[in-house]
Amino acid sequence: MNIIRNGSRPSAKGPGDWFTGSVRIDPLFQTPEPARAVGGWVTFEPSARSAWHTHPLGQTLIVITGCGWVQHEGGSKEEIRPGDVIWFPPGEKHWHGATATTGMSHIAIQQELDGKVVDWLEHVSDEQYCP
């Protein structure tokens, strides 16, 4: 058994290459091999969002607070709220973040494949975010 104490891992600012706006990432866990799950608590201020990206083994989001948006390539933007659980299949291009007026926090869980959990792509344009 391993207990990771709250506050034992430092928060980090979401890098500008991966996010637009103010984003904080709080690492929650990274399981040792042979398991490969990685989880983090991600907080988006209003108008903040991820860049387009994919995950080699998919991603699960669990919305904790606020109101946000998610979109997969070719789909419509969907509103997400606390208690919603979102699954992005492996390789599905998508983005997620806060709405233009309300912040949002979610827990993100993904699995590592060959040392990688995410492939970052281009930023979501203002036109894509809020047409």
Side-chain angles (χ1 to χ4, degrees), residues 84-130:
D84 290 349
V85 178
I86 302 93
W87 164 247
F88 296 105
E92 182 172 66
K93 185 176 177 180
H94 68 280
W95 67 269
H96 35 94
T99 67
T101 59
T102 305
M104 185 269 297
S105 293
H106 64 54
I107 292 175
I109 303 168
Q110 48 275 325
Q111 295 186 69
E112 195 173 301
L113 180 64
D114 298 326
K116 184 185 281 191
V117 296
V118 61
D119 286 304
W120 291 104
L121 304 166
E122 71 276 9
H123 280 273
V124 174
S125 70
D126 289 342
E127 294 74 29
Q128 292 170 317
Y129 177 72
C130 212

Side-chain angles (χ1 to χ4, degrees), residues 41-42 61-67 81-84 104-108:
W41 186 303
V42 185
L61 303 179
I62 304 165
V63 182
I64 304 300
T65 64
C67 184
R81 294 190 170 271
D84 290 349
M104 185 269 297
S105 293
H106 64 54
I107 292 175

Side-chain angles (χ1 to χ4, degrees), residues 11 60 72 88:
S11 299
T60 300
H72 67 95
F88 296 105

Side-chain angles (χ1 to χ4, degrees), residues 17-116:
D17 288 347
W18 303 348
F19 297 99
T20 298
S22 181
V23 178
R24 186 182 77 238
I25 303 169
D26 293 291
L28 294 176
F29 64 89
Q30 183 166 4
T31 55
E33 291 185 7
R36 50 189 174 186
V38 177
W41 186 303
V42 185
T43 301
F44 298 84
E45 292 299 321
S47 296
R49 65 236 186 222
S50 71
W52 287 98
H53 60 286
T54 64
H55 298 275
L57 295 175
Q59 181 183 49
T60 300
L61 303 179
I62 304 165
V63 182
I64 304 300
T65 64
C67 184
W69 289 325
V70 296
Q71 185 176 18
H72 67 95
E73 187 174 46
S76 60
K77 185 171 61 176
E78 300 284 342
E79 187 175 274
I80 55 174
R81 294 190 170 271
D84 290 349
V85 178
I86 302 93
W87 164 247
F88 296 105
E92 182 172 66
K93 185 176 177 180
H94 68 280
W95 67 269
H96 35 94
T99 67
T101 59
T102 305
M104 185 269 297
S105 293
H106 64 54
I107 292 175
I109 303 168
Q110 48 275 325
Q111 295 186 69
E112 195 173 301
L113 180 64
D114 298 326
K116 184 185 281 191

